[in-house]
Structure formats: C-alpha cells, structure tokens
C-alpha cells in the first residue's frame, strides 16, 4: 500500500499529516503528487470529495518549502483560484492544516469581505494566495498585490468557473503571471471549453483521471419524486418530518427562491438556514458553522454550495429544483455520503423540468428510481411553462392539484386556479444569476 512517505513528501508535511485523519493517499493524490513534485503541468479530472486539494496542495507546499526566504511585500509565490467563497475557504482550511509547523503562509481573498483588510494582509506578501477571480482582479487593479514572482498557478473546479462566466477574468489574471510557471488544472468534467482552457494555460500537461465524470458517490441512494411545482414545499416538509434531527441540504434554483423557502421552513418549525449569492461572506460562514454544529439542521442553498460544502454527517440532499446543468446534480448529491458514509438524494421533478431530469439520467447512464408520482406525460410537459417563464412555484403550503383535477401530492383536492406568481419564488424557473465574485 502506498503511503505519503513513499511519494517523497518532506518530513515537515508528513508530520502535519500525522495529526490528520489522512493515512494513505487517495487515487487522485497517488497519481498527481509525483508529477507535480517533478514540476510537470497537470490536468486532473476528479469529482469533489476525492481529495483534490491535497493532490495539488501537498506537492505545491513541498516545493515551496524548498525556498528558504520569505515572499517580498505584496508578492505571491503560488496562486490558487476557485469559483466560490466556500471553495476558497475549504481549500485554505486544508492548506493551513498541512502547513502547521512550517513557515509557509497561506492567505485567503474573497468577495464580500473588507478589501482594505485584505490589502493589509497582502502588504507583507504571502507564499500561497487562495482567491476568487473577481476580488483578485480588484486587488490587482489597485496595486495591492503582484503576481510577477508567482511560479505556480492552480485552477480548481475549472468547469464550474467557466459555468459561472469567469473565463474573461482568468484571461485578465493570466496576463499578470509569468509564462514560466507550473500550472495545474482540476475539473470534475471535461467539456470542450475545458480542453481549450487547458491548451491555453498548460504546457504538455500530464493527464490523470479518477471517478469518471458523471459518476455519483457510490453510497448515495438516489430517487425522484414527480410532483407539481406548487406542491414541492409540502412534499419536502413530509420528507423532512420523516427524519427529524438529521442534517439535510436542499438545493434551489434561484437566490430569492431559496431564501423564501428557507423562511417558510422556519415558520413550519424547522431549524433552517440559507446560503446563496445575496449573502455576505460573514453571513455564509456563520450559517455554515451553525450547520456544522447542529444549530441549523436544514440548509437551503443554490449551486454556489454544490461544490463548496464538505461537512460530515449530511444524511439527505433534496433537489428542490432540478439543476440547469446536469453535472451539477452529481456535485449536489456528492454533499452526502462523504468519507465512506451512506446518504440519500431525492429529486423533485415538475412537468417543466422533465428535460433537465432526462439530461441527468443521460449523464448517469441509468434510470433514477421513482419514489413518488409518475413521469409526466408529454401533454403535461407541453402545457408547462417553458424555461424563462414562471413555473408557478408557490411555497405557501397550499398545494395545487395536478392536471385533470386529481389530488395533489399532499392529498389535497384541487382548488381554484391561482394566478401565476412572479419569478424568483421557490421553484421558479428564472435562470440563475451569476455572481461576479
């Protein structure tokens, strides 16, 4: 069995690892670390939860420890870019554990926090800068940080960065970094855009791949519940009541819709919180900490959290809205069944979401078991509002019936037709707005 010592890591890093739960390298770590340590550019394909941070972080820190002088004022030796604040914090937390007992300095830069305080920290220079692209550009344009001495660049969750529209930001940042550098790109999927990105930033990269794209965690039990959009809140309430006190994440499509759903769950007596792009960094960190310590048991989130939450003990993931991008389904359900545990993921599918649902099954290359309702017929799908129109989400706990006057999923008889609600309510189909930072 391969050990971290077998990979040639420094004694200081091995000592830090001895104080963690990491005993043997994961497949992505075993494959990537030797190539990075010898200075090769690398493209790694792996899902979240496979140990990617240590796969690039440990060999990067090993190489930095070979330098025996501090970084100069406002200088950065290694830059790690990630698309969301949660991912940046997660990466930084892991690296801080690895650097314990070493002189290596790790600095975190994200939007939603005081830029002046960040500038003050950067004034002394740093070995490793972990940042979101938008805030880094702000600091570069102010002259608060320099990248001309940066010899290492890591693009983590590159496919998610492209989904969030960061390609122009990446191009702008790259102009500040020397061409003579080592670059590592990690992605969960390999669309054409990622291939183009790799060809632009990497030189003769080594390619390593584990957990084929689209493969969810092996121990996640998946199911789908077909339900009208207006009934989703009551259906969710039923599932949550079946498992009181168990940690759950509910994924919504929009920021406003997720916030409204969270407030509704609170009125129903659930210990709920929310994180999305409209929350400040302090609010997001506080809610995540409350989720960790059990003060919050139900976390309602947009896809900003699909790859940024690594919290043990999440038993259930509910896809309240089907994701626009099928790969995000895999990342969402990957928030449960972590570290060898088991978990459950249930998707709620309204008529207008049948296309997204079929895309997910196509990606998984298998059918998702039905736990409630039945797949929507073609006439119901045709009659549903199309993407960009209101889907009639109404999370007031007063479910509407399915077409034809049949009882709703909550067993209530059909009521009078209701006027369509504005976009942005829970379950609404408005396309997610991208966060600039």
């Amino acid at each position: 069995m391969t050990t971290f010592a077998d990979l040639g890591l420094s004694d200081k890093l091995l000592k830090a690892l001895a104080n963690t739960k990491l005993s043997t390298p994961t497949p992505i770590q075993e494959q990537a670390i030797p190539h990075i340590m010898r200075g090769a550019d690398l493209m790694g394909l792996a899902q979240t939860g496979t140990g990617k941070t240590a796969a690039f972080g440990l060999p990067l820190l090993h190489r930095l420890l070979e330098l025996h002088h501090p970084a100069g004022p406002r200088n950065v030796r290694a830059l790690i870019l990630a698309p969301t604040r949660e991912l940046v914090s997660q990466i930084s937390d892991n690296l801080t554990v690895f650097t314990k007992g070493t002189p290596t300095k790790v600095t975190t830069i994200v939007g939603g926090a005081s830029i002046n305080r960040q500038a003050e920290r950067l004034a002394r220079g740093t070995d490793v800068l972990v940042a979101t692209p938008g805030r880094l550009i702000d600091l570069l344009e102010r002259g608060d940080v320099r990248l001309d001495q940066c010899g290492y660049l890591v693009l983590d969750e590159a496919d998610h960065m492209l989904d969030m529209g960061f390609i122009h930001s990446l191009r702008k940042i790259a102009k500040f970094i020397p061409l003579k550098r080592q670059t590592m790109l990690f992605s969960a999927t390999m669309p054409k855009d990622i291939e183009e990105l790799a060809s632009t930033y990497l030189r003769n990269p080594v390619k390593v791949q584990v957990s084929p794209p689209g493969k969810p965690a092996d121990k996640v039990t998946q199911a789908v519940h077909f339900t009208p959009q207006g009934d989703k809140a009551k259906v969710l309430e039923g599932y949550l009541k079946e498992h009181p006190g168990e940690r759950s994440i509910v994924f919504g499509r929009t920021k406003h819709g997720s916030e409204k759903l969270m407030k509704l769950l609170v009125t129903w007596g659930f210990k709920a919180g929310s994180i999305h792009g409209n929350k400040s960094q302090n609010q997001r960190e506080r809610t995540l900490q409350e989720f960790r310590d059990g003060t919050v048991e139900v976390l309602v989130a947009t896809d900003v959290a699909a790859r940024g939450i690594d919290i043990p003990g999440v038993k259930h993931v509910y896809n309240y809205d089907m994701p626009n991008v099928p790969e995000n389904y895999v990342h969402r359900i990957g928030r449960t069944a972590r570290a060898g545990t088991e978990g459950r993921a249930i998707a709620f599918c309204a008529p207008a979401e049948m296309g997204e649902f079929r895309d997910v099954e196509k990606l998984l290359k298998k059918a998702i078991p039905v736990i409630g309702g039945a797949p929507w017929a073609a006439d119901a799908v045709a009659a549903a509002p199309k993407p960009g129109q209101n889907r009639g989400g109404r999370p007031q706990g007063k479910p509407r019936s399915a077409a034809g006057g049949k009882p709703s999923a909550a067993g209530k008889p059909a009521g009078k037709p209701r006027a369509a609600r504005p976009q942005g309510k829970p379950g609404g189909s408005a396309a997610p707005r991208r966060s600039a930072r």
Side-chain angles (χ1 to χ4, degrees):
M1 181 182 293
T2 302
T3 66
F4 284 108
D6 295 332
L7 298 177
L9 293 171
S10 72
D11 291 339
K12 289 182 178 180
L13 290 176
L14 293 175
K15 184 177 180 180
L17 284 169
N19 296 323
T20 71
K21 296 181 180 180
L22 301 178
S23 55
T24 57
T26 65
I28 188 65
Q29 292 162 6
E30 186 175 352
Q31 292 184 48
I33 288 175
H35 295 299
I36 297 174
M37 287 181 64
R38 68 177 176 82
D41 283 8
L42 183 135
M43 180 167 60
L45 296 178
Q47 301 291 344
T48 55
T50 55
K52 288 195 275 81
T53 301
F56 63 75
L58 288 172
L60 177 60
L61 295 174
H62 173 91
R63 303 202 73 188
L64 291 175
L65 284 171
E66 296 176 343
L67 302 174
H68 301 292
H69 56 87
R74 296 193 301 278
N75 278 324
V76 173
R77 285 205 167 110
L79 173 63
I80 301 173
L81 293 174
T84 68
R85 306 170 195 173
E86 284 70 30
L87 277 168
V88 166
S89 296
Q90 181 179 309
I91 293 168
S92 182
D93 289 345
N94 287 334
L95 295 183
T96 300
V97 172
F98 300 153
T99 57
K100 189 175 182 179
T102 76
T104 307
K105 182 180 179 181
V106 179
T107 302
T108 301
I109 295 299
V110 297
S114 170
I115 192 170
N116 291 327
R117 291 181 183 176
Q118 293 173 349
E120 290 174 4
R121 291 199 298 269
L122 288 170
R124 296 183 290 273
T126 188
D127 295 296
V128 182
L129 178 61
V130 191
T132 50
R135 176 49 58 91
L136 177 58
I137 289 176
D138 291 342
L139 289 160
L140 285 168
E141 291 177 343
R142 284 169 41 130
D144 292 321
V145 63
R146 297 172 54 185
L147 300 178
D148 54 299
Q149 301 298 315
C150 181
Y152 305 92
L153 172 64
V154 179
L155 304 177
D156 194 24
E157 301 289 359
D159 52 346
H160 195 26
M161 277 200 272
L162 295 186
D163 289 341
M164 294 180 69
F166 281 130
I167 183 62
H168 298 297
S169 298
L170 295 179
R171 289 172 179 161
K172 184 178 293 187
I173 292 169
K175 295 178 181 179
F176 290 88
I177 307 176
L179 291 176
K180 188 178 181 181
R181 64 174 186 262
Q182 183 180 8
T183 305
M184 291 145 272
L185 182 152
F186 285 83
S187 178
T189 59
M190 190 62 180
K192 184 178 180 181
D193 288 346
I194 291 296
E195 294 180 358
E196 296 175 354
L197 188 68
S199 65
T200 301
Y201 289 91
L202 280 66
R203 296 169 298 174
N204 301 317
V206 176
K207 182 178 179 180
V208 297
Q209 179 174 352
V210 299
S211 298
K215 182 182 180 183
D218 294 331
K219 294 189 176 182
V220 179
T221 300
Q222 301 177 66
V224 59
H225 190 131
F226 294 98
T227 176
Q229 189 72 35
D231 293 348
K232 284 185 177 183
K234 292 300 292 184
V235 174
L236 174 63
E237 180 191 23
Y239 282 117
L240 292 175
K241 285 184 174 179
E242 288 178 7
H243 304 276
E246 296 186 359
R247 195 172 280 139
S248 303
I249 301 179
V250 181
F251 281 104
R253 185 182 295 254
T254 68
K255 294 178 286 189
H256 297 294
S258 296
E259 186 70 10
K260 294 282 276 188
L261 177 60
M262 180 275 292
K263 291 179 179 178
L264 177 63
L265 292 176
V266 170
T267 65
W268 285 347
F270 295 101
K271 298 177 181 178
S274 65
I275 59 173
H276 48 71
N278 280 352
K279 297 281 188 175
S280 71
Q281 181 64 16
N282 288 337
Q283 288 175 318
R284 288 156 78 157
E285 290 178 353
R286 184 169 60 251
T287 300
L288 284 176
Q289 184 56 46
E290 291 173 346
F291 191 51
R292 289 187 183 94
D293 62 28
T295 306
V296 166
E297 295 175 350
V298 182
L299 180 66
V300 185
T302 58
D303 279 325
V304 71
R307 308 192 197 191
I309 298 179
D310 186 8
I311 297 177
V314 176
K315 296 291 186 180
H316 311 276
V317 169
Y318 298 99
N319 282 286
Y320 189 86
D321 295 314
M322 295 300 299
N324 298 67
V325 180
E327 287 83 4
N328 282 350
Y329 172 87
V330 177
H331 298 299
R332 288 179 176 187
I333 70 173
R335 300 311 98 200
T336 185
R338 300 181 76 82
T341 61
E342 296 183 352
R344 183 179 73 157
I346 298 178
F348 299 163
C349 182
E353 297 174 307
M354 280 300 291
E356 289 106 325
F357 175 71
R358 294 305 184 201
D359 287 342
V360 168
E361 287 192 319
K362 182 179 179 180
L363 176 70
L364 299 177
K365 296 182 173 62
K366 68 175 185 180
I368 298 176
V370 178
I371 199 174
W376 297 103
D379 57 345
V381 174
K386 300 299 183 288
Q389 297 176 337
N390 176 46
R391 288 181 180 172
R394 188 179 178 83
Q396 275 74 27
K398 298 178 181 179
R400 295 178 295 180
S401 67
K406 296 180 181 180
S408 70
K412 302 281 185 180
K416 295 180 180 180
R418 291 187 175 93
R421 303 278 293 184
Q423 290 187 15
K425 305 302 178 186
S429 65
R433 294 170 61 186
R434 308 298 189 190
S435 173
R437 294 177 174 82

